[in-house]
Amino acid sequence: MSIDKKKICFIRAKQKEDYVFDGIKNMGYKIFIPYKDVNIFMRCLRELWFRMKLPHREIWINSNIKNIDASYIIVKDPLIVPEFIKYLRQVFPYKFIILDYDNRVKKSINPESIKEYVDAVWHYDEDDCNKYGLSYKGHAYLDIYQTKEKFWLKYDVFYVGRDKGRLDQIVEIEEKLKECGLKTYFHICANREFLTWTNKRYEHFLPYEKYLKILKESKAVLNIVPTGQRSITQREMETVFDGIKCITNNTGIKKFALYDETRYFILNDNYKDILKFLNTPFRPVTDNELQEFRFEYVVNKMLSKLEKNNFEEKNS
């Protein structure tokens, strides 16, 4: 079942350069920012206001939210607070409201604080779904960024990511890759842009357009996840869509429907095997295999399921 895009609206906080926000908009969906803060000063002031539980928190909410005319409102979790979801339900008592996680629950809003105001809570992470009783949707890739364009290969292994307390680990991996004779491009960012000056290894944030160019100039992308994480990440989705190999420490990749030994290399202490992996031809992925992971397909699948459950409840 395909649902008319005009019936769907997204709400998501937007950074200065935000490929997720822009990608959703460019795919033809309506999308709103949740708050009025349009610069770092206003954002800090708003966050302080909410944390101190000052009165009239609704003054920070984007007034254009009231003009949403869609049937389904999908709220992405970055920077969302319970007060916002509660406000949304008060304004739209009869619309479908869904909270959709882009982050792990422990780093975001607690689903227990908003369940009474939403019709569903979606998550890409199966472990979080089991732990919190959420609806599993799997990962959805914004395939508007998928490209068949070919580039001259410049690098064997490409890495981009924030420090997140793993700088030493990333630097050690790069050194081991170089010892194997591999040409690397490592772009490590501070956790916040304004902290870039605090370490000479830090680079400024990489615009997504430039990231995609370097991706296509590389044989493989390195992806490092926290210990114990098994869910598929954005990096691991990007690579398979664009036919790029992926080196990852995510052991859960073996359960991924598109896993293949020519596409993914599980990193531990087996650096000597990486060169063989890089020189093995990437087994092509068909459009049919990719279909269930495309953004629009996942959104339609979850909304159709929500409608079906709602219909069954009304007629039971």
Side-chain angles (χ1 to χ4, degrees):
M1 176 182 175
S2 181
I3 296 175
D4 187 349
K5 288 183 180 180
K6 294 179 181 179
K7 294 183 177 181
I8 304 171
C9 178
F10 289 86
I11 295 176
R12 189 184 192 277
K14 187 181 189 301
Q15 299 177 12
K16 184 178 180 181
E17 293 184 10
D18 194 319
Y19 76 93
V20 176
F21 189 101
D22 294 339
I24 292 173
K25 183 177 180 180
N26 290 336
M27 290 183 76
Y29 292 99
K30 289 174 284 189
I31 185 166
F32 291 79
I33 58 173
Y35 308 115
K36 294 177 181 177
D37 47 357
V38 292
N39 55 51
I40 189 64
F41 172 76
M42 294 295 286
R43 174 179 167 182
C44 290
L45 183 60
R46 175 188 57 76
E47 289 186 1
L48 181 64
W49 194 290
F50 275 96
R51 288 177 184 178
M52 294 180 65
K53 299 188 182 301
L54 297 177
H56 307 299
R57 291 188 283 276
E58 67 278 0
I59 66 172
W60 288 99
I61 295 176
N62 179 5
S63 58
N64 291 325
I65 294 292
K66 292 182 178 180
N67 299 325
I68 293 176
D69 59 355
S71 303
Y72 308 91
I73 303 175
I74 302 175
V75 184
K76 294 286 192 174
D77 74 291
L79 301 185
I80 293 300
V81 295
E83 289 88 348
F84 178 83
I85 300 292
K86 182 178 179 180
Y87 166 85
L88 204 59
R89 177 53 73 196
Q90 290 172 342
V91 175
F92 303 112
Y94 304 113
K95 292 184 184 294
F96 285 104
I97 299 176
I98 301 104
L99 177 66
D100 184 16
Y101 280 91
D102 286 337
N103 302 287
R104 300 294 296 276
V105 168
K106 67 180 180 180
K107 295 183 178 180
S108 188
I109 183 174
N110 187 331
E112 294 298 327
S113 65
I114 51 85
K115 276 190 172 181
E116 63 181 295
Y117 307 118
V118 297
D119 296 285
V121 182
W122 298 347
H123 209 307
Y124 66 88
D125 186 277
E126 198 167 2
D127 290 336
D128 270 359
C129 286
N130 293 333
K131 183 176 180 179
Y132 297 98
L134 313 180
S135 297
Y136 177 68
K137 67 161 190 172
H139 236 303
Y141 179 61
L142 286 163
D143 49 301
I144 191 173
Y145 293 113
Q146 184 183 12
T147 173
K148 301 295 185 181
E149 187 177 1
K150 298 296 183 181
F151 290 79
W152 289 105
L153 293 177
K154 294 182 179 180
Y155 312 104
D156 292 308
V157 182
F158 169 42
Y159 173 82
V160 61
R162 301 189 187 194
D163 180 341
K164 296 183 180 179
R166 57 190 178 179
L167 178 61
D168 291 342
Q169 178 190 13
I170 299 299
V171 171
E172 181 182 0
I173 291 173
E174 183 179 21
E175 290 304 314
K176 288 183 177 180
L177 291 172
K178 287 181 176 179
E179 289 173 6
C180 294
L182 300 176
K183 187 174 182 179
T184 63
Y185 183 104
F186 273 46
H187 193 102
I188 306 170
C189 304
N191 292 334
R192 293 288 183 270
E193 175 72 8
F194 65 85
L195 295 174
T196 302
W197 65 272
T198 62
N199 192 303
K200 64 181 181 180
R201 279 305 307 256
Y202 290 156
E203 304 280 354
H204 289 287
F205 288 173
L206 192 66
Y208 196 62
E209 182 178 339
K210 187 173 182 180
Y211 161 77
L212 290 176
K213 181 178 183 297
I214 301 173
L215 174 73
K216 298 293 288 188
E217 295 173 339
S218 308
K219 287 185 179 180
V221 167
L222 173 67
N223 185 54
I224 299 298
V225 301
T227 301
Q229 180 172 330
R230 297 178 297 173
S231 61
I232 307 305
T233 68
Q234 179 71 14
R235 290 283 178 268
E236 291 156 348
M237 292 293 293
E238 287 166 342
T239 56
V240 74
F241 265 83
D242 279 330
I244 308 297
K245 289 174 176 282
C246 181
I247 299 169
T248 180
N249 66 334
N250 182 2
T251 57
I253 196 69
K254 280 193 172 183
K255 294 185 178 180
F256 183 34
L258 300 179
Y259 171 77
D260 185 274
E261 289 183 350
T262 70
R263 303 169 187 158
Y264 296 98
F265 181 91
I266 300 176
L267 183 67
N268 40 59
D269 291 323
N270 50 352
Y271 288 86
K272 58 182 177 56
D273 298 323
I274 291 179
L275 188 58
K276 179 181 177 182
F277 166 72
L278 293 177
N279 290 330
T280 302
F282 182 99
R283 185 167 290 127
V285 188
T286 67
D287 286 339
N288 285 339
E289 289 178 299
L290 294 174
Q291 178 62 18
E292 66 177 286
F293 303 102
R294 298 185 186 278
F295 183 84
E296 189 168 340
Y297 180 91
V298 173
V299 169
N300 276 291
K301 178 182 176 181
M302 295 303 293
L303 290 180
S304 296
K305 181 179 179 181
L306 178 60
E307 272 201 346
K308 179 182 177 182
N309 292 342
N310 183 63
F311 177 82
E312 290 176 349
E313 287 178 7
K314 288 183 177 180
N315 292 275
S316 60

PDB file of all heavy atoms in Angstrom, residues 48-59:
ATOM      1  N   LEU A  48      18.247  25.288  28.060  1.00  0.00           N
ATOM      2  CA  LEU A  48      18.346  25.699  29.461  1.00  0.00           C
ATOM      3  C   LEU A  48      16.957  25.933  30.037  1.00  0.00           C
ATOM      4  O   LEU A  48      16.650  25.531  31.176  1.00  0.00           O
ATOM      5  CB  LEU A  48      19.195  26.972  29.568  1.00  0.00           C
ATOM      6  CG  LEU A  48      19.403  27.523  30.982  1.00  0.00           C
ATOM      7  CD1 LEU A  48      20.186  26.528  31.824  1.00  0.00           C
ATOM      8  CD2 LEU A  48      20.151  28.859  30.925  1.00  0.00           C
ATOM      9  N   TRP A  49      16.096  26.559  29.256  1.00  0.00           N
ATOM     10  CA  TRP A  49      14.718  26.851  29.679  1.00  0.00           C
ATOM     11  C   TRP A  49      13.976  25.553  30.008  1.00  0.00           C
ATOM     12  O   TRP A  49      13.312  25.454  31.032  1.00  0.00           O
ATOM     13  CB  TRP A  49      14.018  27.593  28.540  1.00  0.00           C
ATOM     14  CG  TRP A  49      12.716  28.276  28.895  1.00  0.00           C
ATOM     15  CD1 TRP A  49      11.528  27.675  29.193  1.00  0.00           C
ATOM     16  CD2 TRP A  49      12.467  29.682  28.958  1.00  0.00           C
ATOM     17  NE1 TRP A  49      10.547  28.607  29.424  1.00  0.00           N
ATOM     18  CE2 TRP A  49      11.092  29.852  29.292  1.00  0.00           C
ATOM     19  CE3 TRP A  49      13.255  30.805  28.741  1.00  0.00           C
ATOM     20  CZ2 TRP A  49      10.519  31.116  29.419  1.00  0.00           C
ATOM     21  CZ3 TRP A  49      12.676  32.061  28.869  1.00  0.00           C
ATOM     22  CH2 TRP A  49      11.314  32.205  29.214  1.00  0.00           C
ATOM     23  N   PHE A  50      14.118  24.556  29.146  1.00  0.00           N
ATOM     24  CA  PHE A  50      13.440  23.280  29.366  1.00  0.00           C
ATOM     25  C   PHE A  50      14.030  22.526  30.552  1.00  0.00           C
ATOM     26  O   PHE A  50      13.303  21.924  31.346  1.00  0.00           O
ATOM     27  CB  PHE A  50      13.514  22.418  28.101  1.00  0.00           C
ATOM     28  CG  PHE A  50      12.434  22.718  27.095  1.00  0.00           C
ATOM     29  CD1 PHE A  50      12.675  23.587  26.042  1.00  0.00           C
ATOM     30  CD2 PHE A  50      11.179  22.142  27.207  1.00  0.00           C
ATOM     31  CE1 PHE A  50      11.680  23.873  25.118  1.00  0.00           C
ATOM     32  CE2 PHE A  50      10.173  22.426  26.283  1.00  0.00           C
ATOM     33  CZ  PHE A  50      10.426  23.297  25.235  1.00  0.00           C
ATOM     34  N   ARG A  51      15.359  22.526  30.671  1.00  0.00           N
ATOM     35  CA  ARG A  51      16.000  21.786  31.760  1.00  0.00           C
ATOM     36  C   ARG A  51      15.668  22.372  33.120  1.00  0.00           C
ATOM     37  O   ARG A  51      15.574  21.658  34.117  1.00  0.00           O
ATOM     38  CB  ARG A  51      17.519  21.764  31.548  1.00  0.00           C
ATOM     39  CG  ARG A  51      17.945  20.859  30.390  1.00  0.00           C
ATOM     40  CD  ARG A  51      19.435  20.906  30.158  1.00  0.00           C
ATOM     41  NE  ARG A  51      19.816  20.106  28.985  1.00  0.00           N
ATOM     42  CZ  ARG A  51      21.042  20.006  28.525  1.00  0.00           C
ATOM     43  NH1 ARG A  51      22.028  20.668  29.134  1.00  0.00           N
ATOM     44  NH2 ARG A  51      21.293  19.263  27.464  1.00  0.00           N
ATOM     45  N   MET A  52      15.486  23.687  33.163  1.00  0.00           N
ATOM     46  CA  MET A  52      15.139  24.348  34.424  1.00  0.00           C
ATOM     47  C   MET A  52      13.628  24.304  34.683  1.00  0.00           C
ATOM     48  O   MET A  52      13.164  24.786  35.711  1.00  0.00           O
ATOM     49  CB  MET A  52      15.623  25.798  34.401  1.00  0.00           C
ATOM     50  CG  MET A  52      17.138  25.939  34.378  1.00  0.00           C
ATOM     51  SD  MET A  52      17.682  27.672  34.363  1.00  0.00           S
ATOM     52  CE  MET A  52      17.094  28.232  35.972  1.00  0.00           C
ATOM     53  N   LYS A  53      12.894  23.706  33.706  1.00  0.00           N
ATOM     54  CA  LYS A  53      11.441  23.576  33.815  1.00  0.00           C
ATOM     55  C   LYS A  53      10.768  24.925  34.071  1.00  0.00           C
ATOM     56  O   LYS A  53       9.867  25.054  34.913  1.00  0.00           O
ATOM     57  CB  LYS A  53      11.068  22.572  34.915  1.00  0.00           C
ATOM     58  CG  LYS A  53      11.600  21.172  34.642  1.00  0.00           C
ATOM     59  CD  LYS A  53      11.068  20.159  35.636  1.00  0.00           C
ATOM     60  CE  LYS A  53      11.644  18.780  35.400  1.00  0.00           C
ATOM     61  NZ  LYS A  53      11.351  18.248  34.056  1.00  0.00           N
ATOM     62  N   LEU A  54      11.228  25.932  33.346  1.00  0.00           N
ATOM     63  CA  LEU A  54      10.622  27.255  33.453  1.00  0.00           C
ATOM     64  C   LEU A  54       9.229  27.228  32.821  1.00  0.00           C
ATOM     65  O   LEU A  54       8.951  26.418  31.942  1.00  0.00           O
ATOM     66  CB  LEU A  54      11.501  28.292  32.765  1.00  0.00           C
ATOM     67  CG  LEU A  54      12.898  28.479  33.379  1.00  0.00           C
ATOM     68  CD1 LEU A  54      13.706  29.485  32.561  1.00  0.00           C
ATOM     69  CD2 LEU A  54      12.797  28.944  34.826  1.00  0.00           C
ATOM     70  N   PRO A  55       8.342  28.120  33.241  1.00  0.00           N
ATOM     71  CA  PRO A  55       6.961  28.112  32.717  1.00  0.00           C
ATOM     72  C   PRO A  55       6.885  28.563  31.258  1.00  0.00           C
ATOM     73  O   PRO A  55       7.835  29.122  30.722  1.00  0.00           O
ATOM     74  CB  PRO A  55       6.236  29.091  33.645  1.00  0.00           C
ATOM     75  CG  PRO A  55       7.312  30.020  34.131  1.00  0.00           C
ATOM     76  CD  PRO A  55       8.539  29.161  34.268  1.00  0.00           C
ATOM     77  N   HIS A  56       5.718  28.301  30.656  1.00  0.00           N
ATOM     78  CA  HIS A  56       5.421  28.726  29.282  1.00  0.00           C
ATOM     79  C   HIS A  56       6.430  28.180  28.270  1.00  0.00           C
ATOM     80  O   HIS A  56       6.878  28.886  27.365  1.00  0.00           O
ATOM     81  CB  HIS A  56       5.366  30.256  29.196  1.00  0.00           C
ATOM     82  CG  HIS A  56       4.432  30.880  30.184  1.00  0.00           C
ATOM     83  ND1 HIS A  56       3.072  30.616  30.195  1.00  0.00           N
ATOM     84  CD2 HIS A  56       4.676  31.729  31.220  1.00  0.00           C
ATOM     85  CE1 HIS A  56       2.517  31.299  31.184  1.00  0.00           C
ATOM     86  NE2 HIS A  56       3.459  31.972  31.824  1.00  0.00           N
ATOM     87  N   ARG A  57       6.765  26.898  28.415  1.00  0.00           N
ATOM     88  CA  ARG A  57       7.722  26.284  27.482  1.00  0.00           C
ATOM     89  C   ARG A  57       7.171  26.237  26.054  1.00  0.00           C
ATOM     90  O   ARG A  57       7.934  26.112  25.095  1.00  0.00           O
ATOM     91  CB  ARG A  57       8.098  24.887  27.977  1.00  0.00           C
ATOM     92  CG  ARG A  57       8.931  24.926  29.258  1.00  0.00           C
ATOM     93  CD  ARG A  57       9.459  23.554  29.626  1.00  0.00           C
ATOM     94  NE  ARG A  57       8.456  22.721  30.222  1.00  0.00           N
ATOM     95  CZ  ARG A  57       8.128  22.747  31.524  1.00  0.00           C
ATOM     96  NH1 ARG A  57       8.742  23.596  32.338  1.00  0.00           N
ATOM     97  NH2 ARG A  57       7.213  21.945  32.010  1.00  0.00           N
ATOM     98  N   GLU A  58       5.855  26.365  25.923  1.00  0.00           N
ATOM     99  CA  GLU A  58       5.249  26.315  24.591  1.00  0.00           C
ATOM    100  C   GLU A  58       5.648  27.502  23.717  1.00  0.00           C
ATOM    101  O   GLU A  58       5.495  27.462  22.491  1.00  0.00           O
ATOM    102  CB  GLU A  58       3.728  26.246  24.701  1.00  0.00           C
ATOM    103  CG  GLU A  58       3.044  27.483  25.257  1.00  0.00           C
ATOM    104  CD  GLU A  58       3.056  27.548  26.789  1.00  0.00           C
ATOM    105  OE1 GLU A  58       3.598  26.613  27.412  1.00  0.00           O
ATOM    106  OE2 GLU A  58       2.525  28.519  27.339  1.00  0.00           O
ATOM    107  N   ILE A  59       6.208  28.564  24.326  1.00  0.00           N
ATOM    108  CA  ILE A  59       6.598  29.728  23.526  1.00  0.00           C
ATOM    109  C   ILE A  59       7.750  29.396  22.580  1.00  0.00           C
ATOM    110  O   ILE A  59       7.979  30.111  21.606  1.00  0.00           O
ATOM    111  CB  ILE A  59       6.992  30.934  24.414  1.00  0.00           C
ATOM    112  CG1 ILE A  59       8.265  30.615  25.216  1.00  0.00           C
ATOM    113  CG2 ILE A  59       5.847  31.333  25.324  1.00  0.00           C
ATOM    114  CD1 ILE A  59       8.816  31.821  25.971  1.00  0.00           C
TER     115      ILE A  59
END
